[in-house]
Amino acid sequence: MRQTKSFKKQKKRTNSSYSKWSEERMAEENTDFYEELRPWFELKVSEFSKEGYSNIETDDLILCFKSFVWKHSIPSYYYQQVADILNASVNQYFDYKSLEAQVYNVSSLEEINFEEFF
């Protein structure tokens, strides 16, 4: 019996150290994950630019997906992720930007440069 308890304790320690390792690994993969999708984000930014929204940058769109579109769940499959990126609309991006403006304290509308949106 004692060996079993000691084995269980050792197994618990191993699992907790594994979970810390896996969290660190996921954080590393998370940055790689968005870098792997960067060409698709760049393609979408070029589409936005052709539509007249030349001030939207790739990193801004990536942040939009990180903190708004895929905030609660990232699609499991690569083709679903690419489809989400390609189906993104300018309105979706502006929803993110307006939410960001509400969350961060902007004391007046005079501080916002609206010309960069057009």
Side-chain angles (χ1 to χ4, degrees):
M1 281 276 209
R2 289 187 180 185
Q3 289 178 341
T4 307
K5 287 183 181 179
S6 127
F7 177 73
K8 286 181 181 178
K9 286 182 181 178
Q10 184 179 6
K11 188 175 179 182
K12 284 183 182 178
R13 285 187 202 131
T14 307
N15 285 343
S16 68
S17 64
Y18 174 76
S19 68
K20 287 179 185 177
W21 175 81
S22 65
E23 287 174 7
E24 291 171 0
R25 181 83 174 137
M26 283 177 60
E28 289 174 10
E29 288 177 0
N30 208 7
T31 57
D32 292 341
F33 163 77
Y34 287 101
E35 287 304 313
E36 185 177 315
L37 293 170
R38 183 172 278 280
W40 297 106
F41 286 114
E42 290 172 352
L43 177 66
K44 195 61 184 181
V45 167
S46 70
E47 286 180 24
F48 288 164
S49 180
K50 288 177 185 175
E51 293 175 10
Y53 301 100
S54 58
N55 290 327
I56 299 174
E57 296 181 7
T58 305
D59 292 331
D60 293 335
L61 191 61
I62 290 173
L63 281 174
C64 173
F65 271 79
K66 277 183 180 179
S67 58
F68 185 70
V69 178
W70 292 337
K71 182 177 183 176
H72 298 292
S73 67
I74 298 172
S76 303
Y77 297 103
Y78 184 76
Y79 74 91
Q80 293 171 329
Q81 297 161 1
V82 171
D84 278 357
I85 295 168
L86 295 179
N87 291 327
S89 68
V90 174
N91 287 337
Q92 198 173 19
Y93 176 77
F94 283 132
D95 288 345
Y96 159 72
K97 289 306 260 185
S98 66
L99 182 65
E100 184 182 50
Q102 291 173 9
V103 170
Y104 298 112
N105 291 331
V106 177
S107 58
S108 71
L109 291 175
E110 293 173 359
E111 293 180 14
I112 300 174
N113 183 6
F114 287 104
E115 290 181 14
E116 70 181 34
F117 292 119
F118 301 107

